[in-house]
Amino acid sequence: MAYGEYRKKWGKWLSTKRIDRDLSNSKIITKDSREQECRSPIESDIGRIIFSQPFRRLAGKTQVHPFSAVDYVHNRLTHSMEVGYVSYELGKRLASFMLKIKGDLWEDSQINEVGLICQAAGLMHDIGNPPYGHAGEDAIRAWASQKQNQSRIRRLCGEPVLNDLMHFDGNAQAFRMASNPEPRETGYFKLSLSVLGAMVKYPFGTNSKMGKTTNKSAAFSSEKEIFDCLMAELDLKESQRHPLSYITEAADDICYRISDFEDAVLMGIMDEESVRNLFLEGMSFECRQKLKGASLQRVKAKAIGGLIDAFASAFECRYEDIVTGRMEGDLKSAIDERWGGVLARIKQQYESIFSERKKVVAEIGSYGQMECVLGQFLSFLSVIREKDPVPYAQLPFICQRLVTLAWGGSDYYEHNNHRDAGWWMHAVLDFVVGMTDGYLHRLSLEM
């Protein structure tokens, strides 16, 4: 591989343009970010994320253990902050490799820029997770798959929107929130193209063959035009991932696999000594000797550092496959045997964490809670879209109350009354997915 062979590609992959909409014809376009004297577009992205309500609400969303009696186990907010930090460290390290060894970057400032892009993607990676995490995702899919609901959604919203719900994925919801150019008062971030690319782990839509098969996807039908525009602007082939997405995914793997086991010790689910020994397995003999008698906290820190080294080495070894789109699988499959073995053993022992009784009971309850709330809003959609648009004043009282609950009153409804049922279904999802675990639980009891 020639020195600097992929410099032109990296020029596109590090784009700071943003998705926008042409007001003259409503087509999706891209625009250059507005220059600011004191901060770059990516730094602006990080500010938008950290100071937003959706990001703060992650503090009330399950990482693994809903409503834990131990109030300092990880939630989605603390997890996302850790992923953002590890993404930044990995991004800087690998940007230095791309600059100094491969010649594909062209100035020192890009080392920090790549780190910030990865940090922003890491902070955002779970922003689309519903209440109760993966159980909440499955609860939405299960509700939409009920025969009666299927029929109503298909009739009101069409097959593509039905597929969005039946194959609901928090990754696609995160992309919607990060990319949608609707006014930001509605909760969308309109982040830079490079950050969007670094977030996309599954480069296909919910209505694609892969999306329907795996329940994993990058974009709903509502964001298909945006997703297609992103892939074209970044010059990525069909199903090709942005190279930095491997870094975001690796940071997530590192953080949740280590932290979930630390939390299991805090909750008395797993024995501290066995978890410490598991973390030590990936380290050299000399390192293990130095850590004899060390606290779990210190061993955890060394394990995270060791995994960062392992994933960075894997990225460097598979660099050409990654940048050309030939990479199959994720970086876990390419890390060294010692740390790969540790991750495999961690995966094998997850059953003891996932089967903790309080977690199981809370997740079972999430299905009824989600069905209760989504059922009310589906009835609302039936009222507003069975006939011509209904003015707010003529809505049934319960529909007015639902509008007030979700969107604060009549203004939002009147402003968007011309929208079709598919648009409203996704607006409902925005509201429901944005709830914390506790809010969904309380709301379902009150309805």
Side-chain angles (χ1 to χ4, degrees), residues 13-14 42 112-122 194-195 198 244:
W13 292 336
L14 300 183
I42 308 302
N112 190 57
E113 180 183 3
V114 169
L116 291 173
I117 291 169
C118 294
Q119 181 183 12
S194 55
V195 176
L244 297 185

Side-chain angles (χ1 to χ4, degrees), residues 204-230:
F204 41 81
T206 50
N207 281 272
S208 68
K209 183 178 179 181
M210 285 295 293
K212 294 176 184 178
T213 303
T214 64
N215 287 331
K216 296 293 183 184
S217 60
F220 296 128
S221 61
S222 52
E223 280 68 55
K224 182 182 185 304
E225 189 181 358
I226 294 173
F227 180 70
D228 290 345
C229 177
L230 173 72

